Amino acid sequence: MAIYCKEIYCKSQAMCYNIYIMKKKLIILAAITLIITMTLVLAGCGEGFSKNSIRKQIDDNLGWHENGMEICTYDVVKDGVKVGEYTSGLELYNGSVTVETSNETVKPTLDSFVGYKFTSSMKASLEGKTFEKHTESYATMRMEPKLSYVKTVDGDLSVETVTTYSSKKSEVTFIKGEEVKTASSKYSKSAFVVDNSFLYQFSRVTSLSSALSIVVPTYDLQNCRTSNETFSCSYSKSANAVLEKKFVLNSEFSQTIPSGESGEITSGEPVNSGSADNSGDIQTSTDESGNVTVTYPHTVTSVIPVLNCTFATSKTFPSSGKISCLIANSPMKMQGDDNFANRVVVRFVEGDVVYNLTSVKFVKR
């Protein structure tokens, strides 16, 4: 006699049982497949994602530097008082590299290198001492660090560090006067490694909505030691950054003049307060009541819409307190300049020291 079992029509009890068992196996197999799939997806948000999907973002967000060089200048501010100046440079480099140090026996090189060259220079008076820092670093087109040089002068202490990278470790040479010491620190082959000399520049290249785990070499200059620390790099929308100087944003500026009135465009809502930039195509439109709306392609303003990037770790780096940077959402330039720069770091914070953008130059080749 035929019976119904679990909504399956069977010719016998045995057949029904076999089908029931088979159905359970299929359900279990489907569940296992789903778990594996979700595991891979979640893993994609970690190291696997950072090593693969991020590559296109790097090309999209920094690839335009193939056409020229960018130089940004910042005021170094502590407790509301300017204590120094910081300058950073970014360009695409193609050729052999030789880094000069104060010791003739330490001259690191890169043969036939193609990638990004980062430079920076800072001089400030902090806590009654002169502080200087000069860097020269090289990373591939995929932002993988290959070589960096840093000279730090902190009062009477002057140290040069040269860091070279392999697939599983960073090797550091410390130069203190006539003394040369070496150290190394390991990391996993899957880690996304960023040299700390271009940490804030790195934050420009990604468009991630979730946290990214990165490994950053850190240094104990006094004792000539190094370690590779893991940071969580997180991005979020932020309020506008207000700078002392005005810049030209590649974003529309418009204001409506009521019918029968005339006047100069002086402010805009709701995105920015500022004034119109007369370069580019100007458009006007009139509504049924005779109100005239004038739209300029660019805006002159000191209020910059930004993306906020923060770096969190269990240890203090490179100074105690909060470490973060603000990245401009709109391309920007100085008034009178020809070229816009994309995703500019307009401010970064290291503990109680703040770096505020005062100038950005992008020179095309």
Side-chain angles (χ1 to χ4, degrees):
M1 178 177 84
I3 61 172
Y4 284 90
C5 179
K6 301 291 184 180
E7 299 180 347
I8 300 174
Y9 182 76
C10 307
K11 291 184 178 181
S12 68
Q13 182 71 41
M15 182 180 292
C16 181
Y17 178 77
N18 290 337
I19 292 176
Y20 176 65
I21 294 300
M22 185 179 297
K23 184 179 179 182
K24 286 189 66 176
K25 289 182 178 180
L26 289 174
I27 292 174
I28 294 172
L29 181 60
I32 292 173
T33 302
L34 178 61
I35 291 171
I36 293 173
T37 301
M38 290 303 296
T39 301
L40 292 174
V41 169
L42 292 174
C45 297
E47 296 298 344
F49 180 79
S50 65
K51 293 290 286 186
N52 295 298
S53 300
I54 200 174
R55 292 173 181 254
K56 184 179 185 303
Q57 296 177 40
I58 292 172
D59 287 341
D60 291 344
N61 293 325
L62 276 191
W64 54 278
H65 281 94
E66 298 176 19
N67 300 321
M69 179 178 183
E70 175 196 277
I71 298 177
C72 292
T73 304
Y74 301 79
D75 280 345
V76 182
V77 179
K78 184 176 182 180
D79 299 326
V81 178
K82 179 180 176 180
V83 295
E85 190 172 271
Y86 175 91
T87 301
S88 68
L90 168 59
E91 64 179 309
L92 188 66
Y93 189 93
N94 188 343
S96 297
V97 175
T98 300
V99 174
E100 299 291 339
T101 73
S102 62
N103 191 302
E104 293 185 356
T105 64
V106 183
K107 286 190 176 182
T109 62
L110 292 173
D111 295 327
S112 303
F113 175 79
V114 177
Y116 293 108
K117 177 181 179 180
F118 301 93
T119 56
S120 71
S121 181
M122 173 185 171
K123 187 172 183 179
S125 178
L126 297 171
E127 300 176 352
K129 297 187 298 182
T130 298
F131 183 87
E132 294 184 43
K133 191 171 185 178
H134 307 277
T135 73
E136 179 181 343
S137 304
Y138 298 86
T140 68
M141 296 296 289
R142 297 296 182 264
M143 205 54 62
E144 299 159 332
K146 290 298 182 183
L147 173 65
S148 73
Y149 167 79
V150 180
K151 180 179 180 180
T152 304
V153 179
D154 189 355
D156 296 330
L157 177 65
S158 179
V159 184
E160 296 167 87
T161 58
V162 177
T163 306
T164 58
Y165 295 86
S166 62
S167 61
K168 293 185 179 181
K169 68 178 179 179
S170 59
E171 298 186 22
V172 185
T173 300
F174 295 89
I175 304 172
K176 297 174 68 174
E178 299 297 322
E179 183 181 25
V180 177
K181 291 186 177 181
T182 59
S184 64
S185 189
K186 295 182 179 180
Y187 43 76
S188 67
K189 188 175 182 179
S190 62
F192 201 104
V193 183
V194 179
D195 189 90
N196 63 29
S197 65
F198 59 81
L199 181 63
Y200 304 114
Q201 297 284 18
F202 166 79
S203 67
R204 303 169 63 183
V205 309
T206 62
S207 306
L208 302 178
S209 58
S210 59
L212 172 66
S213 179
I214 60 176
V215 171
V216 182
T218 60
Y219 309 101
D220 178 351
L221 299 182
Q222 192 71 46
N223 299 301
C224 297
R225 293 184 299 189
T226 182
S227 62
N228 290 311
E229 305 299 338
T230 300
F231 289 79
S232 176
C233 179
S234 303
Y235 300 81
S236 63
K237 295 293 182 182
S238 175
N240 294 336
V242 181
L243 302 177
E244 288 192 7
K245 292 190 177 182
K246 290 185 176 181
F247 296 84
V248 180
L249 299 185
N250 190 18
S251 61
E252 288 188 348
F253 181 97
S254 63
Q255 184 170 332
T256 300
I257 302 173
S259 177
E261 297 184 15
S262 62
E264 182 180 355
I265 306 296
T266 57
S267 63
E269 294 292 345
V271 177
N272 295 305
S273 59
S275 60
D277 179 68
N278 292 325
S279 62
D281 296 330
I282 302 172
Q283 299 178 354
T284 60
S285 61
T286 306
D287 62 18
E288 295 178 354
S289 300
N291 302 316
V292 178
T293 299
V294 183
T295 302
Y296 293 80
H298 307 143
T299 303
V300 180
T301 182
S302 60
V303 183
I304 316 296
V306 293
L307 182 72
N308 186 30
C309 180
T310 57
F311 302 90
T313 186
S314 58
K315 296 188 178 181
T316 55
F317 163 82
S319 59
S320 61
K322 181 181 179 182
I323 303 165
S324 63
C325 66
L326 300 178
I327 306 162
N329 281 331
S330 298
M332 59 191 296
K333 66 177 182 178
M334 303 291 291
Q335 296 184 61
D337 285 358
D338 296 326
N339 307 311
F340 286 96
N342 295 340
R343 297 176 66 85
V344 176
V345 176
V346 300
R347 176 179 295 146
F348 56 99
V349 179
E350 298 176 350
D352 57 357
V353 180
V354 180
Y355 302 75
N356 288 315
L357 182 73
T358 59
S359 167
V360 54
K361 298 279 186 181
F362 181 64
V363 181
K364 288 187 176 181
R365 290 188 178 91

